[in-house]
């Protein structure tokens, strides 16, 4: 794993703490970009049905020559397929597009609490998929504690992962603490706030002192907080820089400085109101 640590999920499956995200990577470019990431050493790829680029991820994995068992791949359920039967079919399509027999992690992408399908029904479909053995772990994305409490009360399997927006301007310590208390691993999407935090004077000062890029400083903050993180880039230099996180550490004061930047500022939607369904 080129020094990338792993985190053990609540069912014993190990997930690499650093991954490579393909959100907004054009489908026609995905195979080449993921191939670069795999060549550099990434062994965790995060995609989703709504990204439209699962086929490219599968192609890159197939042509890499790396044993499939060494590459951890996550995908997420399309918002339009929350009904049980739709969710089961959508997962079948994910496997077909990736050309995999088994996926490593499958997530409900958004809770969509305002639509006419209850996410509890969706989670029960996820439990069926897990029971089939065709996915090694299941989890959720963008769930707040009150969403998770409903799953605990009304379903059997506890999510292994909760993928939420986290960065220095949205530290999400309350959700992260809830996840930790319930043996759910937190994954951080938008880890550099789509670049918005990289010019922050507190971050640039630390980066200059350590001889690192601002992005490396922020990603290292995520790693030391214990979250799984998967930065996205389409340029080789940045893909390499984002992988070079394990030969330095942030001190206690630096960690506190970044956490202290929290202003509750989202780059994405609020999970309590978001109801987007692709047409």
């Amino acid at each position: 794993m080129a020094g990338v640590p792993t985190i053990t999920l609540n069912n014993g499956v190990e997930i690499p703490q650093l991954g490579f995200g393909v959100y907004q990577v054009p489908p026609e470019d995905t195979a080449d970009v993921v191939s670069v990431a795999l060549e550099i050493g990434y062994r965790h790829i995060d995609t989703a049905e709504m990204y439209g680029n699962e086929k490219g991820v599968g192609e890159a994995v197939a042509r890499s020559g790396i044993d499939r068992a060494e590459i951890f791949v996550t995908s997420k359920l399309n918002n339009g397929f929350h009904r049980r039967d739709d969710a089961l079919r959508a997962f079948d399509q994910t496997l077909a597009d990736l050309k995999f027999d088994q996926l490593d992690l499958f997530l409900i992408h958004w809770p969509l609490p305002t639509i006419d399908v209850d996410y509890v029904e969706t989670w029960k479909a996820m439990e069926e998929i897990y029971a089939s053995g065709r996915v090694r772990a299941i989890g959720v994305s963008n769930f707040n504690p009150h969403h998770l409490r409903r799953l605990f009360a009304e379903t059997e399997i506890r999510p292994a992962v909760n993928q939420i927006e986290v960065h220095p301007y949205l530290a999400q310590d309350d959700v992260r603490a809830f996840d930790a208390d319930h043996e759910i691993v937190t994954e951080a999407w938008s880890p550099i706030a789509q670049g918005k935090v990289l010019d922050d004077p507190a971050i640039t000062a630390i980066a200059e002192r350590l001889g690192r890029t601002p992005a490396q400083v922020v990603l290292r903050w995520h790693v030391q907080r214990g979250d799984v993180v998967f930065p996205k880039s389409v340029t080789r230099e940045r893909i390499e820089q984002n992988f070079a996180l394990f030969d330095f550490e942030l001190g206690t004061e630096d960690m506190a400085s970044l956490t202290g930047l929290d202003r509750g500022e989202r780059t994405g939607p609020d999970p309590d109101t978001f109801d987007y369904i692709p047409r």
Side-chain angles (χ1 to χ4, degrees), residues 211-270:
R212 297 286 173 164
T213 69
Q216 286 174 321
V217 168
V218 176
L219 295 173
R220 182 67 202 181
W221 172 78
H222 284 285
V223 167
Q224 289 182 217
R225 276 159 56 95
D227 295 347
V228 174
V229 63
F230 34 88
K232 184 221 88 175
S233 179
V234 296
T235 63
R236 185 181 187 97
E237 181 181 16
R238 287 182 181 172
I239 295 171
E240 289 177 340
Q241 288 174 349
N242 292 343
F243 192 73
L245 305 179
F246 303 102
D247 59 349
F248 76 103
E249 290 188 0
L250 299 180
T252 302
E253 290 185 5
D254 291 341
M255 290 292 294
S257 178
L258 265 71
T259 304
L261 297 174
D262 182 27
R263 55 179 75 165
E265 181 178 298
R266 294 185 181 274
T267 66
D270 183 339

Side-chain angles (χ1 to χ4, degrees), residues 14 42 81 85-87 92 98-99 109 127 137 144 147 195 211 224 245 255 260 264 276 279:
E14 292 192 354
Y42 291 84
F81 302 135
D85 292 350
D86 293 338
D92 290 343
L98 289 165
K99 295 185 178 178
H109 205 150
E127 291 180 324
N144 285 324
H147 301 130
Q224 289 182 217
L245 305 179
M255 290 292 294
Y276 169 73
R279 301 300 179 188

Side-chain angles (χ1 to χ4, degrees), residues 96-110:
D97 287 344
L98 289 165
K99 295 185 178 178
F100 290 173
D101 294 323
Q102 186 185 52
L103 186 63
D104 296 289
L105 178 64
F106 196 49
L107 309 179
I108 297 179
H109 205 150
W110 290 89

Side-chain angles (χ1 to χ4, degrees), residues 162-198:
N162 186 18
Q163 184 179 123
I164 58 174
E165 181 179 353
V166 182
H167 46 75
Y169 290 169
L170 186 72
Q172 294 263 49
D173 282 343
D174 53 344
V175 182
R176 292 176 61 255
F178 182 90
D179 289 347
D181 287 345
H182 295 87
E183 299 184 320
I184 299 170
V185 169
T186 298
E187 295 187 335
W189 67 260
S190 193
I192 59 174
Q194 299 181 356
K196 293 178 182 178
V197 301
L198 299 184

